[in-house]
Amino acid sequence: MSTKSKATDASMRGLVSLTKTTQTLLAHFQSSLSPSQTPSKPPAPTASSSAPEPNALDVVKVTTTLLKSHTTTLSLLLLTPPLTPSALIKKIGDVSSGVLSNLVAAASTSVSPGQKDELGDLMRAELRTQVRRLIGTWGEVLALVLRLAERRESATGKDEGPTESERQDVLAATGVVWEACDSLLKVCQDGVVGLVVKKAEQWRGVLMDAVEELKEWGDDVADEEDEDEDKAEGSDEDDGGFGDEDDIFGAANKLGKGDKELKALLDTSVKKLKKVGMLYQALIKRRLKTFPKSPSIPAATTNGESTSPPPDLMPTLDRLMVLVKAIPETVDDLASAFYDLDEDEAKETLDKCCGEAKSAVDLVKQSWAGTDDEFTAWSAKWVEALDAS
């Protein structure tokens, strides 16, 4: 005869049912945060709700910290026999109806007309991506709850607790949630400035890698000419009449001896793109790192005084980051044009890339306070040097 009571059976069935329902809710949360979904607009302020909206980063920080704490408690409940349905039901309810709903709401709101944007497009997209990932990791913990509850529901006798394999699964899943929480908390801590600097540095790295690959591709021409001379001296060696395998499959996208104009364009492109790489460094130091932590606070000028930033401060940063992201993508297109030996396409794409870089310079020629500074003078010389190269 089973030693389990009817009350325990009912509680365990309730836990299984709640877990499955919560899994459906998590799927809905993740869908609402997908890139294809339009962020929901916050409710319009009314006369009775004059209190300012809470900062989204603050809400995300608080809810993420709570989620990490709840997950720790939940994992302890799973690891400590006997499995207690009532405690698990309460904890899952606290997470799904409170923590996660508030977290998703903070990550998915957009800016109402007339409302000052404190986050910007890049941060908003980052929050949605990271919260979506965090929900996915918490779903793995929930799946373990369901697995253990279903096993216990069908078992008889004393609850001996999870097996060693199940213990390791719980610890591993909890660790993944912690890591996702820490990553999201780091985003909140670094703020908009930290995020845009990080992204710009990553995109500059992609840009410079592409430039180096283009340079090495062009340098292969001289090496191949030397190899051709060596092969000519030993041409009586038997190659089966097919030549070298690299010659067969690589000739279609390699510069030949007669492609002097394309080689000259390649050299010019490498020079210009290296200057674009220098621009990224200047933008990071003089514009991104100096962006006010909040668009609603004064921005410091070169003489140490402060003035109110222009009302379109965040949109300007958004447009700048669109260009900073687009340039490496354009360089990828440029590389493809060279690999296809398409000189006209390469010229057009190089012009587009330089145009994007100049647009970025023009967008933030002045400081965030609207005054001339060191970058203003440097950027004018940079444009001249880019055109001359």
Side-chain angles (χ1 to χ4, degrees), residues 33-51:
L33 291 168
S34 64
S36 60
Q37 295 297 317
T38 303
S40 59
K41 293 183 179 181
T46 62
S48 59
S49 60
S50 57

Side-chain angles (χ1 to χ4, degrees), residues 290-304:
T290 62
F291 187 77
K293 290 185 178 180
S294 170
S296 61
I297 64 174
T301 62
T302 53
N303 60 7

Side-chain angles (χ1 to χ4, degrees), residues 77-341:
L77 290 172
L78 293 176
L79 294 173
T80 307
L83 199 65
T84 312
S86 58
L88 289 167
I89 288 172
K90 182 180 186 306
K91 189 57 59 178
I92 292 173
D94 290 341
V95 171
S96 61
S97 63
V99 176
L100 287 183
S101 59
N102 289 332
L103 182 60
V104 171
S108 59
T109 56
S110 61
V111 182
S112 298
Q115 181 184 11
K116 184 160 290 187
D117 188 1
E118 298 283 344
L119 297 180
D121 293 340
L122 195 64
M123 175 60 82
R124 212 175 301 280
E126 183 72 12
L127 288 178
R128 288 165 67 85
T129 298
Q130 293 230 17
V131 170
R132 192 169 189 268
R133 171 180 170 241
L134 178 55
I135 291 172
T137 65
W138 202 78
E140 294 299 316
V141 174
L142 196 64
L144 288 173
V145 176
L146 179 60
R147 193 170 96 194
L148 293 174
E150 286 180 331
R151 181 169 70 81
R152 186 57 195 158
E153 185 182 25
S154 61
T156 59
K158 183 181 178 182
D159 186 356
E160 300 292 344
T163 65
E164 182 58 30
S165 175
E166 289 169 337
R167 287 180 59 86
Q168 294 304 317
D169 288 343
V170 170
L171 292 173
T174 303
V176 173
V177 173
W178 286 351
E179 188 277 329
C181 287
D182 290 342
S183 177
L184 185 51
L185 289 172
K186 181 70 163 55
V187 171
C188 296
Q189 178 183 342
D190 292 346
V192 172
V193 172
L195 179 64
V196 296
V197 168
K198 176 185 175 182
K199 293 293 186 180
E201 289 173 343
Q202 290 176 346
W203 292 329
R204 180 183 182 276
V206 173
L207 167 65
M208 299 314 296
D209 285 345
V211 173
E212 188 60 30
E213 288 179 10
L214 274 175
K215 183 177 181 300
E216 291 177 358
W217 181 73
D219 290 343
D220 284 344
V221 178
D223 296 338
E224 288 174 10
E225 290 178 351
D226 293 338
E227 291 176 6
D228 289 343
E229 292 177 1
D230 294 339
K231 288 180 181 179
E233 294 176 0
S235 59
D236 53 349
E237 293 182 8
D238 183 19
D239 59 11
F242 294 101
D244 186 83
E245 183 178 341
D246 289 339
D247 291 339
I248 298 173
F249 297 104
N253 67 340
K254 288 185 178 179
L255 284 170
K257 297 177 183 178
D259 296 322
K260 293 183 178 179
E261 291 185 2
L262 190 60
K263 179 62 167 67
L265 178 61
L266 176 63
D267 292 341
T268 298
S269 298
V270 169
K271 290 178 182 177
K272 288 182 180 293
L273 293 178
K274 285 184 176 179
K275 286 183 171 56
V276 175
M278 293 172 56
L279 172 63
Y280 272 67
Q281 292 176 308
L283 286 172
I284 290 170
K285 181 178 180 180
R286 300 295 182 181
R287 288 297 177 261
L288 300 185
K289 288 185 176 180
T290 62
F291 187 77
K293 290 185 178 180
S294 170
S296 61
I297 64 174
T301 62
T302 53
N303 60 7
E305 297 178 356
S306 296
T307 59
S308 296
D312 61 347
L313 200 57
M314 187 60 77
T316 299
L317 179 64
D318 284 338
R319 291 196 296 272
L320 175 63
M321 297 310 293
V322 167
L323 290 168
V324 170
K325 180 178 184 290
I327 291 171
E329 295 171 352
T330 304
V331 173
D332 281 343
D333 294 337
L334 176 62
S336 296
F338 275 114
Y339 297 153
D340 292 339
L341 306 181

